[in-house]
Amino acid sequence: MSLPSLSLLLSFASPFANKVMKSARYLDIPLEYIEEAPYDSTERLLSANPLSKVPALLIGAWPDGGSPEPQTIFDSAVICHTLEQLAQQVGRSQELLPARGPGRWRALRDEALCDGISEAALLLTIEGRRPPEQQSESWQERWQAAIWRGLADLDQRQDEIAAGAALPRIALGAALDYLDLRHADRIDWRSRHLALEALALRP
């Protein structure tokens, strides 16, 4: 069985798009990349996601039967879980998450934690683009504190996470990449949590 055509609408700077790209490489699934600026709210992006957010995955018709209609999937977690199911349907051996049970629940929790770090970092970026007189120092402090707490939690459980599923470690890699890209000046995570560098998966 062959995969359908898969196109990812994305901003290359997005930590969530980065997470999806890393997951696809881990699963050996080829994606076509189509760059979109979320704030432009193009017709193509809005037709894929009415929230005008990236990433969004466009799934074409299966070449040898299956779903006859193209589909769109959005939200990085949903896209990654969908890619894993697609990989399984065509016999790929790599897995992002355990199939069921407590191991899966822990992995989903840690994926959400890493995504939360990325979300807080993205909010910091957006706030920093506002005029200085409109920026909220208290919100920036709150988001930075959330990032540090999340990193500390992951660091404290690094052995458990290293022995677990791939997706949380991929999501961590995407979060750390984004911190380096946008916030290296104020969140020097290596100074406190250098072990996370080796824990992160960056396919």
Side-chain angles (χ1 to χ4, degrees):
M1 178 179 288
S2 301
L3 286 166
S5 62
L6 299 168
S7 300
L8 188 68
L9 305 185
L10 79 167
S11 164
F12 284 104
S14 163
F16 301 107
N18 187 9
K19 171 188 166 188
V20 172
M21 290 189 290
K22 290 180 191 300
S23 296
R25 288 194 293 270
Y26 183 83
L27 294 167
D28 193 25
I29 290 182
L31 298 178
E32 176 193 13
Y33 300 144
I34 302 174
E35 191 161 15
E36 289 277 0
Y39 289 102
D40 290 347
S41 296
T42 65
E43 182 178 346
R44 177 169 55 190
L45 178 57
L46 291 177
S47 67
N49 184 350
L51 301 177
S52 191
K53 297 174 71 173
V54 293
L57 181 68
L58 311 181
I59 305 176
W62 286 81
D64 46 5
S67 174
E69 298 294 333
Q71 300 181 57
T72 60
I73 306 291
F74 51 85
D75 184 88
S76 68
V78 179
I79 293 172
C80 289
H81 302 169
T82 300
L83 290 176
E84 182 179 42
Q85 288 190 339
L86 289 171
Q88 292 168 351
Q89 283 184 253
V90 296
R92 303 284 164 81
S93 59
Q94 295 281 48
E95 292 183 344
L96 294 176
L97 294 165
R100 60 184 62 84
R104 182 178 179 87
W105 307 334
R106 286 192 296 270
L108 289 171
R109 171 198 180 275
D110 289 334
E111 179 194 8
L113 176 59
C114 294
D115 285 353
I117 292 170
S118 289
E119 182 178 5
L122 188 59
L123 289 170
L124 273 177
T125 300
I126 295 170
E127 186 70 12
R129 291 174 177 168
R130 290 158 57 90
E133 66 275 10
Q134 295 181 16
Q135 294 180 24
S136 169
E137 183 177 348
S138 63
W139 276 113
Q140 291 183 71
E141 290 174 350
R142 181 178 178 83
W143 293 324
Q144 288 185 74
I147 290 167
W148 283 119
R149 289 195 302 270
L151 295 173
D153 180 81
L154 293 164
D155 198 350
Q156 291 167 5
R157 297 185 297 110
Q158 60 181 279
D159 291 341
E160 169 196 330
I161 296 168
L167 188 53
R169 298 174 62 198
I170 290 172
L172 173 60
L176 297 180
D177 287 351
Y178 189 76
L179 290 175
D180 285 342
L181 177 67
R182 297 295 192 210
H183 302 295
D185 56 335
R186 60 170 137 182
I187 303 178
D188 180 15
W189 56 270
R190 290 179 180 84
S191 66
R192 302 190 199 178
H193 304 295
L194 182 59
L196 295 181
E197 182 76 72
L199 183 63
L201 266 181
R202 294 185 174 94

